[in-house]
Amino acid sequence: MSNRTSWRNSWGSGNAGSPSFGGTSAWGAGGGDTIFRVLSGGSNRQSKRRSQIISGFSENAIYFEEEDDRSVYSERDSNQPPISKAEDWALMPDVKHYAERGEKDHLKGRKLGVTWKNLTVKGVGADAAFNENVKSQFNIPQNIKEARHGPPLNTILDDTHGCVKPGEMLLILGRPGSGCTSLMKMLANRRNGYAEVNGDVFFGSMTAKEASRFKGQIVMNTEEELFFPTLTVGQTIDFATRMKVPYHKFSDQKSDKDFQQDYRNFLMRSMGITHTDTTKVGNEYVRGVSGGERKRVSIIETLATRGSVYCWDNSTRGLDANTALQYTKAVRAMTDVVGLTSIVSLYQAGNGIYDLFDKVLVLDEGKEIYYGPREEARPFMEELGFICGDGANVADFLTGVTVPTERRVREGYEVCYPRDAQEIRVEYKRSPIKARMEKEYDYPQTEEAKTNTSDFREAIKYDKDRTLPASSPLTVSFLKQVLICIIRQYQIVWGDKPTFVIKQLATLIQSLVVGSLFYNASDDSAGLFSKSGALFFSLLYQSLMALSEVTDSFAGRPVLAKHKAFAFFHPAAFCIAQIAADLPVIFFQVSQFSLVLYFIVGLKMTAGAFWTYWITLYVIAMCITAVMRAIGAAFSTFDGATKLSGFWFSALIIYTGYFIPKPKMHPWFVWIYWINPLSYGFEILLSNEVHGQTIQCVNNNLIPNGPGYTDSAFQSCAGVQGATQGATSLTGDQYLAAFSYSHSHLWRNFGIIWAWWAFFVAVTIVATSNWRETAGKSGFLIVPREKMKKNQAILRPDEESQMKEKSDASDALTVPASGSSSMDAKTIENQLISNTSVFTWKNLTYTVKTPQGDRVLLDNVQGWVKPGMLGALMGSSGAGKTTLLDVLAQRKTEGTINGSVLVDGRPLSVSFQRSAGYCEQLDVHEPLATVREALEFSALLRQSRDTPKEEKLKYVDTIINLLEMQDIEHTLVGKPGAGLSVEQRKRLTIGVELVSKPSILIFLDEPTSGLDGQAAFNILRFLRKLAAVGQAVLVTIHQPSALLFKEFDTLLLLARGGKTVYFGDIGDDAMVLNDYFARNGAPCPSNVNPAEHMIDVVSGAASQGKDWNQIWLESPEHKAVSSEVDRIITQAASKKPGTEDDGHEFATPLWQQIKLVTSRMNVSLFRNTDYVNNKFALHVGSALFNGFTFWKIGNGVQDLQLRLFTIFNFIFVAPGVINQLQPLFIDRRDIYEIREKKSKMYSWKAFVTGLIVSEFPYLCICAVLYFAPWYYTVGFPTDSNKSGAVFFVMLMYEFIYTGIGQFVAAYAPNAVFASLVNPAIITILVSFCGVLAPYAQIQEFWRYWIYYLNPFNYLMGSILTFTVYDVEVQCGDGEFALFDTPNNQTCAEYLGQYLSGLGARTNLVNPEATAGCRVCQYRRGSDYLATLNLNEYYYGWRDAGIVVIFAISSYVMVYLLMKLRTKATKRAE
């Protein structure tokens, strides 16, 4: 074997050995020359740099060749330099062990490297990002003008270049908005969403287009953590690792499972989260692992791809300092040993992390101001005249050189130093570093790159399952993908058990309720309508249940797009897995429904008939689920999908054949019948039920009937489809023929439904395959159209305003800003509120219940915050920092809290939650509010009711200046990717709390996470300023630099399980803190950041296996703290409290809250054009469809039924709109519950009122939009007293169904859950409104209560009365009952008794005839209405009045259920 063999030869395994990150052929084999480097120790920065190249690696020695010397290091020499900068990483032996196992298999390398030249990227400019409102979207001239010019482009990356070879790590630095993420996306070959990409990017020797085949090997870990929250950590990682098991494994591994388990366990250990294996991943709303642990799951999932090129975008966000360092060491170790190409962008990178990289690239405004060796970056900037302070983070220094308030300039350079990014770039271009770096740009043309790329292609081919096509980027076979996806799908279903249970319970209840509605239907003509109704309902319910698929489709889409980018599976595998998961769920759902309903109704009692009914419902449920899933997959927005699904649902229901018989359908819409799976299903069910039956005409369907009329020779059927005139019975097949049905079509139709199912599955697969990850057009501000004039500075940036971007918070205190809210520093400081209250907590324990039993999250924690004190709360990820803040701020609604939390030695007052500011880790805001509106909303609601409004708004100006938000104050908050950046959101979160003038203290949960070093320092310096004027501030913080750590006064350090490790002063230069740990055997080295050392002591290598909690409990410092807490409490309790409690739970009166919240909701809806337009479109579309379906209804007997059904169809505008409004309601509710409710900003009553009232204007417009196209199209009476009455009732219905949708959403835990409850409510209301079963046929149990409690009953009754009561019925020839009389009697004589009794409402048209008597079932519409329990015309107005009462009561239910959901927060016991 060659003496150039390296560890990397073996990593990655294709056909042998242990898990590999790289795949079949070693994650990087061959060519140790770029990996093992001598670490230059302690050389002077200005000294000559010498390139070190490994020239040989023999069995006993490693040779390092330098430009001017050659030396040999014996492998057994104790002074030998480490082969990797991460040699001390705990799992380095494991990495090498895997490498050794793989070495035996002589696998080809899979190293690539990335090279880019002249790379310029453009995106859609900020001025194109207008948010239209309901009014401005109709400004046609403006829209035409903007469409003609097209959106302007702005340059995101400007002429960047670089080369990262296999085995190298590049650190990309830049402030938010510099283009770091866009560069990462280019280097990860993700180009979607950018307007223009120019320049060359090579992966090995492949172009970007050629490399697109290998997307599973060129991967990117984004900032967002996208997971299925109900899966556990173990399940999530199992899925990722199973999808990447190579076809050829290591030779000493017997099965796929061995490889997968080995690899999975290694990854879990590498990130230190083995303890979370059975814990849910969770998200903002589902409780799961901590934020830092979730980030580590994200890192592991990316590593599971076993890629060759890794791009890590701010992947240490939310990690504590020690975990961040360990993560970077893990990447370093794998890069060195395996030969990966690692590109990392980081904010707030400590020097320990910074020193692990080979190269650094610094971006500013998209310009590359430095690219070169890491060790030369600082000297380069220092030579330009900038000063990097001792102990400062070099990474922060490099990004701060263009910020006037951050940079420090060396004496003598004040005139000549470069001022901005362009000038620094000019200096860089002149430097020898650039010339040296340019020599690397021909790497793609080198033999090494070509050989590596060729080996890479072969390795991937060797890695891949033999059944996959050559062009596939996937690893495991399609069958395995499907099986793995099926397992995950079942885990998702099982993880969300409440949704599954509610679905099945709802089905059981529905089948019982509706079965009893049609209980024991007879086999004669009276039971015919009931049985048809029961069969139709069976189909309707399965369709309603499938509607939730649209909501579901959007819930998991971001995760699936991510997995697609990782090349885990083909979208078809996921779609098939969904179907496989459907099979047993729908089997259970249909079985329990069928068993209950079929036998309660008394449908045909033969085994064949039952199983035909069952299998038909099963295939229909599968098919409609596929339809709704296809609609969800085909649309990029939820609003677009709900618009089509709501409309399509209505179309499917109308053209089933139940409302309108096939022969009665108008030719322009009859095609819907042929493409409707439900129509085929209904024909199967009806023919299955009546085929072979003889149906006797009875009651109203037999004329004449009653006493004295028993001879069937002189009677006739009436009002029964298919009955021969003069006959008193008909066969089932005659009945079917009247609808153009035939029993012979049964199995034909069954096949057609399966064919439709297959078609919609194919549509879903195609649509899912085209899903895109979040587009690249991100990071732009959104300007509301009505605020356009106030945002000219953003829309037309000039040089001056760009310079202003570079200032920081301190500018606002020294230089008057150009914005509307500028003021001088003195004014700002004078307006900042001070505080005199002391906040203490003692023996605080917090316990929650878990499936494994009680779990203690906080264990006897104690401490205090005094006025003027800035306290830090630190600990490893998952130590309970956020939990402690939540408990202290009274934000917990579950679990048990023991101990005391006191203000001024007194229990917390009713106003505590609003008197204390709490900036949560998650930046949750109303996305359609501007920054200024968000701040004013908080100020007006949370400042004292005695403060004048003008003063409150003036204080908002103060905070806008202080947080330097003048340039963005009139832009929308938006959502991540479109709107404010992470850093801007964080500033807004802080601002929202500050404008409330917190009078006790301010809690901040990780305010610096996700920010660059400058932004973090600005925020901390600002908090220091607050403390200086007398505020008490308590902050949880991750990865503080030494500079940030110096700003704090005290530290509370927690270990896992919420155990205290230290509480007390930090001291100057952390002397007090360092002294404590030094005395206990863990001194902090002089060149190490004390903050990082503390975390290392608590959870890392420096812990030395000691129980630091026990050490603390036995220390004199702990005794001193305990006695000091008691002293503070006693002393404070004896004095007058520093903060007077005004006795009010909320700062503003309820009426004021309602006005402000309603105003905000109104503005939000006014700007939410997607939502409003879909609402309007659904109404107009449904109305036109309904109108032209029932075009100009006549006055025959059958036409009366059509009048009933066109009104009934109006009800079905509700499901689509409800499905659309509930996610919006729940989003707003989540914002309220997560932040606004907990800070006692306003009452839940104001919240509900605002949401209800803001919908009113749009509901009024919706009523008009449905009424106008529908009412006159179907030919209803045009006189104003009737049409006006109908419009009024329709308007009230808009309020009723909106109230129903909102009260379900008010209590539902999530949107999917709500969409599953809707069918249950709507089907019950629809079933008992007197249409599917007329009043007389409803069972007594239901008839006397649910019928009268049903708003749809009164809605139908009032509209029917106004539109049908005065109609003169004109029977068609086929609608008359035709029969002869006995004994030559005239028809009038024969029917005399009948016409004065049971037939009083019938119409004899030929009373003098002695044969062929022609009797019409009804004379006027009022006769028909009498059969529906509508006996008088005044019933119309009576029912209209009751509809109004129901509209009010539906909104009362919203208040009631919101109240039931609103839990009181937990207090210490």
Side-chain angles (χ1 to χ4, degrees):
M1 190 168 177
S2 159
N3 65 351
R4 298 181 66 81
T5 304
S6 83
W7 289 115
R8 288 175 294 152
N9 288 64
S10 48
W11 185 272
S13 120
N15 55 6
S18 182
S20 69
F21 296 82
T24 62
S25 57
W27 217 358
D33 48 343
T34 58
I35 299 292
F36 303 112
R37 305 172 180 279
V38 176
L39 302 182
S40 53
S43 61
N44 189 304
R45 287 192 304 269
Q46 306 301 328
S47 67
K48 178 185 174 187
R49 277 152 195 84
R50 299 171 297 182
S51 61
Q52 298 174 320
I53 306 163
I54 299 177
S55 63
F57 179 26
S58 72
E59 192 174 330
N60 296 311
I62 304 174
Y63 295 90
F64 291 84
E65 191 176 277
E66 301 190 2
E67 289 173 5
D68 56 357
D69 70 8
R70 182 181 176 91
S71 56
V72 180
Y73 293 89
S74 165
E75 283 187 337
R76 297 177 180 84
D77 184 351
S78 61
N79 297 318
Q80 175 194 331
I83 63 162
S84 168
K85 293 176 184 174
E87 189 68 24
D88 61 341
W89 182 49
L91 292 185
M92 183 59 122
D94 294 56
V95 179
K96 293 179 179 178
H97 171 62
Y98 292 146
E100 287 164 353
R101 292 166 71 191
E103 191 178 83
K104 302 170 190 172
D105 297 323
H106 306 292
L107 303 171
K108 296 230 169 168
R110 54 195 303 173
K111 300 180 301 220
L112 277 180
V114 186
T115 310
W116 65 103
K117 292 186 286 190
N118 310 320
L119 183 62
T120 299
V121 178
K122 294 184 179 180
V124 176
D127 51 348
F130 281 115
N131 185 82
E132 301 294 351
N133 57 50
V134 172
K135 183 179 166 189
S136 72
Q137 64 178 330
F138 297 112
N139 187 338
I140 308 299
Q142 178 181 272
N143 294 342
I144 292 172
K145 179 183 170 187
E146 289 180 359
R148 278 176 56 207
H149 289 94
L153 301 181
N154 69 326
T155 302
I156 299 170
L157 292 173
D158 182 13
D159 190 27
T160 66
H161 44 79
C163 175
V164 191
K165 295 178 184 176
E168 289 185 342
M169 282 179 71
L170 169 70
L171 175 62
I172 298 177
L173 296 172
R175 303 190 77 190
S178 296
C180 297
T181 298
S182 292
L183 178 57
M184 297 288 272
K185 285 186 175 180
M186 291 301 111
L187 303 186
N189 215 14
R190 296 185 181 190
R191 300 185 168 210
N192 291 331
Y194 291 98
E196 203 175 286
V197 179
N198 297 312
D200 300 316
V201 182
F202 291 93
F203 298 88
S205 61
M206 293 183 288
T207 63
K209 190 173 181 182
E210 290 169 332
S212 60
R213 276 182 51 198
F214 303 101
K215 63 182 179 185
Q217 293 299 307
I218 302 164
V219 292
M220 178 176 176
N221 177 260
T222 59
E223 270 196 271
E224 298 88 23
E225 283 104 51
L226 303 169
F227 298 104
F228 289 108
T230 57
L231 291 181
T232 66
V233 171
Q235 289 167 345
T236 303
I237 296 169
D238 274 337
F239 177 81
T241 49
R242 282 175 184 148
M243 285 296 185
K244 287 293 182 176
V245 175
Y247 184 69
H248 294 99
K249 290 165 283 299
F250 287 115
S251 52
D252 60 352
Q253 283 179 325
K254 295 176 184 175
S255 67
D256 288 358
K257 189 170 183 182
D258 285 352
F259 178 94
Q260 184 263 328
Q261 285 295 317
D262 205 0
Y263 187 37
R264 169 197 191 275
N265 295 339
F266 168 77
L267 290 177
M268 294 275 279
R269 283 186 294 124
S270 72
M271 290 296 125
I273 56 167
T274 47
H275 62 282
T276 65
D277 194 53
T278 57
T279 310
K280 283 184 180 178
V281 177
N283 61 10
E284 301 93 328
Y285 314 117
V286 177
R287 202 171 93 191
V289 296
S290 71
E293 287 165 342
R294 196 174 302 125
K295 172 54 80 176
R296 283 182 268 173
V297 176
S298 177
I299 290 167
I300 289 175
E301 193 179 45
T302 309
L303 286 173
T305 59
R306 296 168 49 247
S308 299
V309 175
Y310 281 99
C311 296
W312 303 94
D313 188 17
N314 198 14
S315 47
T316 60
R317 179 184 174 187
L319 300 183
D320 63 75
N322 180 61
T323 307
L325 180 62
Q326 293 307 313
Y327 149 74
T328 315
K329 282 184 177 180
V331 174
R332 177 79 257 179
M334 295 168 194
T335 302
D336 284 347
V337 176
V338 181
L340 301 181
T341 302
S342 298
I343 302 159
V344 185
S345 75
L346 294 178
Y347 292 149
Q348 301 182 57
N351 289 338
I353 292 173
Y354 176 81
D355 290 340
L356 290 170
F357 288 86
D358 301 305
K359 295 176 179 175
V360 171
L361 187 153
V362 185
L363 283 175
D364 197 282
E365 295 175 346
K367 298 178 177 67
E368 192 173 293
I369 61 172
Y370 177 82
Y371 162 69
R374 184 255 315 152
E375 62 271 15
E376 296 184 42
R378 176 174 170 175
F380 169 74
M381 292 298 180
E382 288 180 329
E383 284 163 11
L384 295 180
F386 300 111
I387 298 173
C388 180
D390 290 335
N393 281 356
V394 178
D396 292 347
F397 161 68
L398 294 176
T399 55
V401 292
T402 57
V403 186
T405 53
E406 292 299 320
R407 62 191 175 206
R408 290 164 54 204
V409 180
R410 208 187 315 165
E411 199 175 330
Y413 281 79
E414 293 86 355
V415 178
C416 61
Y417 76 91
R419 261 62 176 175
D420 57 21
Q422 183 58 41
E423 290 183 15
I424 296 177
R425 181 156 76 166
V426 169
E427 291 295 329
Y428 170 70
K429 285 181 176 177
R430 291 181 191 150
S431 72
I433 300 173
K434 182 173 191 297
R436 206 162 67 244
M437 290 293 105
E438 280 178 336
K439 292 176 184 175
E440 295 186 340
Y441 300 161
D442 62 355
Y443 176 75
Q445 285 76 48
T446 63
E447 279 307 311
E448 181 190 348
K450 289 175 183 174
T451 305
N452 280 346
T453 307
S454 172
D455 288 351
F456 169 82
R457 289 176 189 270
E458 286 185 43
I460 297 304
K461 184 179 176 183
Y462 191 67
D463 209 19
K464 200 159 56 178
D465 192 277
R466 292 292 169 265
T467 59
L468 293 171
S471 59
S472 172
L474 308 173
T475 305
V476 299
S477 68
F478 184 74
L479 183 61
K480 281 184 185 170
Q481 293 169 38
V482 172
L483 291 172
I484 297 164
C485 283
I486 289 171
I487 292 168
R488 182 181 68 173
Q489 210 59 33
Y490 281 121
Q491 287 169 342
I492 290 170
V493 171
W494 191 244
D496 190 15
K497 286 190 275 293
T499 302
F500 176 76
V501 170
I502 197 81
K503 207 170 184 175
Q504 302 313 320
L505 273 178
T507 301
L508 180 62
I509 292 165
Q510 284 294 313
S511 56
L512 285 166
V513 170
V514 177
S516 62
L517 172 68
F518 300 110
Y519 177 69
N520 206 17
S522 59
D523 291 331
D524 51 32
S525 64
L528 204 55
F529 193 72
S530 294
K531 287 184 176 181
S532 298
L535 297 174
F536 169 71
F537 176 81
S538 300
L539 298 175
L540 171 68
Y541 184 72
Q542 308 308 323
S543 307
L544 277 168
M545 290 301 279
L547 266 178
S548 65
E549 287 299 327
V550 178
T551 315
D552 232 356
S553 169
F554 284 87
R557 182 172 299 191
V559 186
L560 301 171
K562 176 180 78 168
H563 287 171
K564 186 183 163 196
F566 284 167
F568 279 164
F569 54 81
H570 191 280
F574 168 70
C575 296
I576 292 168
Q578 278 190 311
I579 294 161
D582 288 341
L583 292 172
V585 174
I586 290 177
F587 177 89
F588 186 71
Q589 178 183 311
V590 167
S591 297
Q592 62 164 333
F593 183 89
S594 304
L595 285 166
V596 174
L597 185 129
Y598 193 89
F599 295 106
I600 291 182
V601 174
L603 298 175
K604 189 188 282 186
M605 291 295 174
T606 67
F610 171 77
W611 288 114
T612 303
Y613 171 84
W614 179 88
I615 193 67
T616 304
L617 287 197
Y618 189 81
V619 67
I620 281 291
M622 291 290 291
C623 189
I624 302 302
T625 298
V627 171
M628 294 306 167
R629 208 169 267 161
I631 291 172
F635 280 82
S636 59
T637 65
F638 176 72
D639 287 323
T642 48
K643 186 161 50 181
L644 181 64
S645 63
F647 179 71
W648 188 237
F649 177 77
S650 298
L652 294 181
I653 296 304
I654 296 176
Y655 283 87
T656 299
Y658 175 73
F659 289 144
I660 315 173
K662 161 75 172 55
K664 279 271 189 182
M665 292 176 185
H666 291 296
W668 51 80
F669 278 152
V670 75
W671 57 271
I672 298 173
Y673 174 85
W674 294 113
I675 65 165
N676 182 359
L678 292 184
S679 66
Y680 296 101
F682 189 63
E683 183 177 358
I684 292 174
L685 294 182
L686 196 60
S687 61
N688 178 55
E689 181 58 33
V690 302
H691 172 66
Q693 306 278 78
T694 299
I695 302 159
Q696 295 294 333
C697 294
V698 295
N699 302 339
N700 289 351
N701 299 125
L702 184 63
I703 296 178
N705 66 70
Y709 300 99
T710 55
D711 191 343
S712 62
F714 305 105
Q715 293 174 304
S716 174
C717 288
V720 181
Q721 298 281 327
T724 308
Q725 285 181 317
T728 57
S729 66
L730 71 159
T731 66
D733 290 313
Q734 283 179 302
Y735 182 69
L736 291 172
F739 294 99
S740 302
Y741 290 165
S742 168
H743 185 257
S744 63
H745 295 165
L746 194 151
W747 294 110
R748 177 205 74 175
N749 290 357
F750 184 74
I752 290 171
I753 297 169
W754 275 119
W756 278 121
W757 171 83
F759 170 75
F760 287 114
V761 167
V763 169
T764 308
I765 290 170
V766 171
T768 307
S769 299
N770 292 320
W771 280 355
R772 293 277 180 263
E773 270 208 301
T774 310
K777 191 186 78 175
S778 61
F780 57 90
L781 295 169
I782 304 176
V783 177
R785 178 67 75 176
E786 67 272 22
K787 304 273 187 188
M788 184 170 70
K789 290 180 181 174
K790 293 183 177 180
N791 279 293
Q792 291 306 318
I794 298 170
L795 301 179
R796 294 192 184 84
D798 53 26
E799 229 174 280
E800 194 180 335
S801 66
Q802 285 191 12
M803 283 299 291
K804 220 166 267 169
E805 270 182 29
K806 292 294 183 165
S807 63
D808 71 13
S810 63
D811 286 6
L813 303 179
T814 53
V815 183
S818 60
S820 60
S821 49
S822 62
M823 57 187 69
D824 61 42
K826 202 69 188 164
T827 310
I828 293 172
E829 291 196 23
N830 288 343
Q831 286 200 3
L832 290 175
I833 193 162
S834 63
N835 160 43
T836 56
S837 292
V838 180
F839 184 72
T840 59
W841 59 97
K842 184 180 177 185
N843 300 333
L844 205 56
T845 301
Y846 178 58
T847 311
V848 293
K849 294 195 179 299
T850 68
Q852 292 78 36
D854 286 354
R855 184 176 170 194
V856 177
L857 298 182
L858 296 175
D859 189 356
N860 279 310
V861 184
Q862 56 187 358
W864 63 81
V865 188
K866 297 178 182 177
M869 178 176 136
L870 181 57
L873 176 52
M874 293 177 64
S876 58
S877 297
K881 301 181 296 297
T882 300
T883 304
L884 176 57
L885 277 198
D886 283 345
V887 169
L888 293 179
Q890 304 288 290
R891 300 298 172 98
K892 289 292 185 190
T893 55
E894 294 171 354
T896 306
I897 303 170
N898 295 105
S900 66
V901 181
L902 307 172
V903 173
D904 292 326
R906 297 166 177 82
L908 303 184
S909 65
V910 70
S911 63
F912 171 76
Q913 280 172 266
R914 64 177 169 83
S915 304
Y918 187 1
C919 302
E920 299 216 23
Q921 193 172 343
L922 300 165
D923 304 311
V924 178
H925 299 282
E926 165 59 58
L928 289 166
T930 65
V931 169
R932 175 169 277 278
E933 286 165 356
L935 294 170
E936 289 182 351
F937 183 72
S938 179
L940 292 171
L941 280 168
R942 290 180 64 188
Q943 286 189 32
S944 166
R945 60 182 68 192
D946 303 322
T947 309
K949 182 180 177 181
E950 295 72 26
E951 195 177 312
K952 290 180 181 180
L953 296 181
K954 192 177 177 187
Y955 192 66
V956 170
D957 293 340
T958 304
I959 299 303
I960 285 175
N961 273 273
L962 198 59
L963 295 176
E964 209 221 357
M965 296 194 288
Q966 303 94 323
D967 54 338
I968 57 168
E969 63 178 308
H970 297 297
T971 63
L972 294 184
V973 174
K975 293 185 176 176
L980 301 185
S981 68
V982 172
E983 184 251 356
Q984 289 164 335
R985 271 167 202 282
K986 189 59 73 180
R987 278 192 281 161
L988 177 59
T989 301
I990 295 171
V992 163
E993 294 302 317
L994 289 179
V995 293
S996 69
K997 290 192 174 179
S999 57
I1000 297 176
L1001 81 161
I1002 302 171
F1003 299 104
L1004 298 101
D1005 191 9
E1006 295 188 25
T1008 60
S1009 282
L1011 306 187
D1012 67 305
Q1014 280 75 36
F1017 184 66
N1018 288 340
I1019 281 174
L1020 218 56
R1021 188 165 55 180
F1022 167 64
L1023 295 177
R1024 181 76 264 173
K1025 187 177 290 290
L1026 287 178
V1029 296
Q1031 266 292 2
V1033 186
L1034 184 60
V1035 184
T1036 66
I1037 191 161
H1038 273 331
Q1039 307 176 41
S1041 65
L1043 200 63
L1044 293 187
F1045 195 56
K1046 282 180 186 176
E1047 296 292 324
F1048 291 99
D1049 301 312
T1050 60
L1051 169 69
L1052 173 53
L1053 186 60
L1054 295 179
R1056 184 168 297 283
K1059 296 176 187 294
T1060 306
V1061 172
Y1062 179 82
F1063 175 75
D1065 290 343
I1066 294 172
D1068 293 337
D1069 294 325
M1071 291 294 291
V1072 177
L1073 183 65
N1074 288 341
D1075 177 59
Y1076 170 78
F1077 281 99
R1079 274 190 287 113
N1080 290 289
C1084 178
S1086 58
N1087 60 341
V1088 172
N1089 176 358
E1092 293 182 11
H1093 177 67
M1094 297 313 123
I1095 301 299
D1096 203 22
V1097 168
V1098 175
S1099 60
S1103 67
Q1104 305 167 21
K1106 293 182 180 179
D1107 183 346
W1108 285 93
N1109 172 241
Q1110 194 58 41
I1111 291 171
W1112 165 251
L1113 294 176
E1114 293 168 0
S1115 69
E1117 283 85 354
H1118 172 253
K1119 293 186 181 69
V1121 165
S1122 299
S1123 55
E1124 179 65 8
V1125 169
D1126 292 335
R1127 190 192 67 77
I1128 290 172
I1129 291 171
T1130 308
Q1131 190 176 349
S1134 64
K1135 295 179 184 175
K1136 188 182 173 186
T1139 308
E1140 289 293 336
D1141 179 24
D1142 58 10
H1144 299 295
E1145 186 180 5
F1146 302 101
T1148 46
L1150 182 60
W1151 176 242
Q1152 188 70 19
Q1153 294 172 36
I1154 288 171
K1155 285 197 295 185
L1156 287 167
V1157 174
T1158 304
S1159 171
R1160 179 175 76 160
M1161 298 292 185
N1162 279 331
V1163 171
S1164 175
L1165 269 192
F1166 183 62
R1167 290 174 180 158
N1168 195 346
T1169 49
D1170 276 351
Y1171 174 76
V1172 173
N1173 290 350
N1174 284 332
K1175 213 180 186 80
F1176 290 168
L1178 197 57
H1179 279 79
V1180 172
S1182 300
L1184 288 169
F1185 185 70
N1186 191 1
F1188 282 98
T1189 294
F1190 295 94
W1191 171 261
K1192 298 296 178 191
I1193 301 171
N1195 293 335
V1197 171
Q1198 266 196 306
D1199 293 328
L1200 294 173
Q1201 195 82 343
L1202 293 182
R1203 285 172 184 259
L1204 170 76
F1205 282 138
T1206 189
I1207 295 165
F1208 184 58
N1209 189 53
F1210 167 55
I1211 286 175
F1212 287 97
V1213 76
V1217 182
I1218 286 174
N1219 264 13
Q1220 185 199 0
L1221 76 84
Q1222 285 175 334
L1224 182 76
F1225 186 102
I1226 289 169
D1227 284 348
R1228 298 290 179 273
R1229 188 196 69 194
D1230 287 339
I1231 292 170
Y1232 170 67
E1233 289 187 337
I1234 286 171
R1235 186 169 57 80
E1236 295 168 344
K1237 181 187 89 171
K1238 291 175 179 176
S1239 60
K1240 298 288 183 186
M1241 192 181 274
Y1242 54 90
S1243 165
W1244 62 269
K1245 296 168 196 156
F1247 168 75
V1248 173
T1249 306
L1251 270 174
I1252 289 173
V1253 173
S1254 61
E1255 290 274 2
F1256 284 177
Y1258 305 101
L1259 295 178
C1260 294
I1261 296 169
C1262 284
V1264 173
L1265 293 177
Y1266 199 104
F1267 175 81
W1270 168 69
Y1271 186 85
Y1272 300 102
T1273 315
V1274 294
F1276 280 162
T1278 53
D1279 30 334
S1280 57
N1281 66 327
K1282 291 187 172 65
S1283 58
V1286 170
F1287 173 73
F1288 172 74
V1289 176
M1290 289 175 70
L1291 175 61
M1292 289 301 109
Y1293 176 61
E1294 294 287 336
F1295 296 141
I1296 286 174
Y1297 78 69
T1298 302
I1300 291 171
Q1302 288 183 333
F1303 80 62
V1304 171
Y1307 201 72
N1310 54 54
V1312 174
F1313 188 93
S1315 67
L1316 291 170
V1317 174
N1318 298 335
I1321 293 174
I1322 289 167
T1323 47
I1324 286 176
L1325 296 179
V1326 161
S1327 304
F1328 290 95
C1329 69
V1331 176
L1332 295 181
Y1335 176 75
Q1337 292 182 21
I1338 298 175
Q1339 296 301 316
E1340 284 87 348
F1341 175 75
W1342 300 114
R1343 190 190 305 165
Y1344 297 117
W1345 68 281
I1346 201 167
Y1347 173 81
Y1348 288 106
L1349 290 175
N1350 186 348
F1352 289 9
N1353 163 32
Y1354 300 101
L1355 170 78
M1356 293 294 302
S1358 54
I1359 298 179
L1360 275 169
T1361 303
F1362 297 133
T1363 55
V1364 176
Y1365 197 87
D1366 294 333
V1367 171
E1368 295 293 335
V1369 178
Q1370 297 163 355
C1371 267
D1373 286 341
E1375 294 178 333
F1376 285 104
L1378 191 63
F1379 52 88
D1380 294 329
T1381 60
N1383 307 324
N1384 282 331
Q1385 289 176 290
T1386 65
C1387 295
E1389 290 169 344
Y1390 173 59
L1391 295 173
Q1393 185 181 350
Y1394 174 71
L1395 291 173
S1396 60
L1398 291 172
R1401 294 184 182 277
T1402 59
N1403 183 16
L1404 174 63
V1405 296
N1406 54 346
E1408 301 303 322
T1410 56
C1413 299
R1414 293 163 70 83
V1415 179
C1416 187
Q1417 256 184 303
Y1418 309 110
R1419 288 170 301 158
R1420 302 174 72 246
S1422 56
D1423 298 325
Y1424 169 67
L1425 293 181
T1427 65
L1428 301 175
N1429 198 33
L1430 297 168
N1431 300 319
E1432 301 291 342
Y1433 186 76
Y1434 80 82
Y1435 277 30
W1437 284 110
R1438 179 203 71 178
D1439 288 358
I1442 295 172
V1443 166
V1444 174
I1445 294 169
F1446 271 108
I1448 295 166
S1449 64
S1450 70
Y1451 285 128
V1452 170
M1453 285 294 290
V1454 186
Y1455 285 96
L1456 183 63
L1457 285 163
M1458 194 67 199
K1459 170 63 179 167
L1460 288 174
R1461 183 182 169 84
T1462 306
K1463 296 178 183 175
T1465 52
K1466 294 281 182 181
R1467 288 173 171 264
E1469 296 172 3

